[in-house]
Amino acid sequence: MGRATVADIKGRDFSELDKEAKENTENTNKGSNTNKNRNTTTSDSRGRKNRRRQKKTMVVHPVQRLFDACKDVFAHAGTGFVPPPDKIEQLSALLDDIKPVDVGLSPRMSFFSPQAARRAPTITYLHIHECEKFSMGIFCLPPSGVLPLHNHPGMTVFSKLLFGTMHIKSYDWVVGAPSNASAVAEPSQTAQCSEVRLAKVKVDSNLTAPCKTSILYPADGGNMHCFTAVTACAVLDVLGPPYSDAEGRHCTYYLAYPFTKFSDDTGDEQVSIPDEEKNNYAWLQERDKPEDLVVKGALYTGPVIREN
């Protein structure tokens, strides 16, 4: 009811693109191995010495460091998992240091160009990695691109704005607040028999890169959010654990209504909020996946991750 599959917003189907990249890399490596076999014994000896020198000076790429850290941090991740504070700090620091060039991105790429003649600009998703424990990927938004209000059930999510300016509006549920099953403001957009629930605004502001990594948690930190591109921008997302219909972590979309729209229907005796704070609250209602939301996959062209 109002739920979408992982591929609808987080791009699980785009993992096939990642496999293509791996196959291309493997083919290149095979060609290199054939040439190596033609070397003389003297060249082999020289090659071994060179490799030893390379090992001493080899620098691990930022994306590889992030992947390795995610494997450690989310090794035991399941629904509701929150990493310990030191691990959160570790991942945040790694993400803070990642730049567009580190993931093969440039604002001049075609999917960041302004789009015309569409109600909603197409968003591009670059799949980097996904397993049962975590996922890594990049959302590329042209100007005015919107990722509609959606949730992250039982998940901890790190979002790093790589470049551009983005407006973020996020909410957390108000624990213990009443709901109203009869309040349906837009029947054509909402899931059948969907109730409204009270949520509090966590963030409602613009972010401009470079900036710190944003983090949301299963029960707080703005678990439900909407991204709107003020300028062309890119967001690197790390989800732990990722969406999984089989494990009950569905992606659900919402409509947001002002607090005053339904406050009388729930009873003032149950919801008492000072007038000056009412703008910090809203009623959220499950909706069907927006018809004009288009997220397409593109090949990730950044450094290939070594998974072993």
Side-chain angles (χ1 to χ4, degrees):
M1 185 163 64
R3 294 181 167 88
T5 63
V6 178
D8 287 331
I9 194 165
K10 296 299 179 185
R12 169 172 288 179
D13 286 350
F14 308 144
S15 60
E16 294 304 316
L17 297 174
D18 196 44
K19 291 179 181 177
E20 265 183 47
K22 290 179 185 175
E23 289 172 0
N24 291 338
T25 302
E26 289 171 357
N27 290 336
T28 301
N29 289 340
K30 287 179 182 177
S32 299
N33 289 336
T34 301
N35 291 331
K36 287 178 183 177
N37 291 335
R38 296 172 184 163
N39 292 338
T40 62
T41 304
T42 303
S43 336
D44 288 342
S45 175
R46 188 181 299 117
R48 283 193 294 271
K49 291 179 181 178
N50 288 336
R51 285 194 293 273
R52 283 196 293 270
R53 293 193 193 102
Q54 289 172 358
K55 286 181 180 179
K56 292 179 181 178
T57 60
M58 186 173 61
V59 177
V60 180
H61 197 277
V63 178
Q64 183 67 48
R65 288 201 297 270
L66 177 63
F67 173 79
D68 293 340
C70 286
K71 282 183 65 177
D72 173 52
V73 172
F74 296 112
H76 304 291
T79 301
F81 174 78
V82 176
D86 61 323
K87 298 298 184 181
I88 290 174
E89 184 176 346
Q90 176 191 8
L91 283 185
S92 296
L94 289 171
L95 282 162
D96 286 345
D97 288 340
I98 291 181
K99 300 174 178 59
V101 67
D102 294 329
V103 290
L105 281 186
S106 165
R108 294 186 297 273
M109 290 179 166
S110 61
F111 36 74
F112 295 115
S113 301
Q115 300 175 16
R118 278 196 59 87
R119 286 183 300 167
T122 297
I123 295 167
T124 303
Y125 181 77
L126 308 178
H127 171 87
I128 299 177
H129 175 81
E130 181 166 342
C131 61
E132 292 182 357
K133 300 299 183 181
F134 69 93
S135 68
M136 298 167 55
I138 303 170
F139 285 98
C140 304
L141 289 78
S144 302
V146 177
L147 279 173
L149 185 61
H150 61 281
N151 69 345
H152 307 81
M155 301 154 66
T156 299
V157 179
F158 296 77
S159 297
K160 166 62 177 177
L161 183 63
L162 296 170
F163 67 83
T165 297
M166 170 181 288
H167 183 83
I168 298 178
K169 190 162 189 178
S170 64
Y171 304 84
D172 288 315
W173 295 122
V174 176
V175 179
S179 60
N180 190 332
S182 63
V184 180
E186 302 290 343
S188 62
Q189 300 184 58
T190 57
Q192 186 177 6
C193 300
S194 177
E195 65 182 16
V196 295
R197 291 182 60 188
L198 187 62
K200 185 174 183 180
V201 176
K202 178 67 176 180
V203 176
D204 186 8
S205 62
N206 287 348
L207 288 182
T208 299
C211 56
K212 293 292 186 180
T213 299
S214 300
I215 311 170
L216 62 83
Y217 303 96
D220 56 27
N223 186 274
M224 297 156 288
H225 65 202
C226 172
F227 287 168
T228 302
V230 178
T231 68
C233 55
V235 183
L236 170 58
D237 264 359
V238 173
L239 286 67
Y243 288 102
S244 171
D245 289 344
E247 296 183 16
R249 296 189 298 275
H250 310 282
C251 180
T252 302
Y253 298 91
Y254 297 92
L255 294 170
Y257 301 104
F259 172 78
T260 54
K261 188 173 186 69
F262 300 123
S263 58
D264 292 339
D265 297 330
T266 56
D268 288 335
E269 71 281 356
Q270 294 178 296
V271 182
S272 180
I273 296 175
D275 288 342
E276 64 272 16
E277 294 183 17
K278 288 182 178 179
N279 287 338
N280 296 326
Y281 292 83
W283 297 99
L284 303 190
Q285 187 171 46
E286 288 188 21
R287 64 173 298 178
D288 297 323
K289 177 193 171 187
E291 294 181 0
D292 60 354
L293 173 61
V294 179
V295 181
K296 69 176 184 179
L299 183 65
Y300 165 69
T301 57
V304 177
I305 289 173
R306 300 187 307 275
E307 298 188 14
N308 295 325

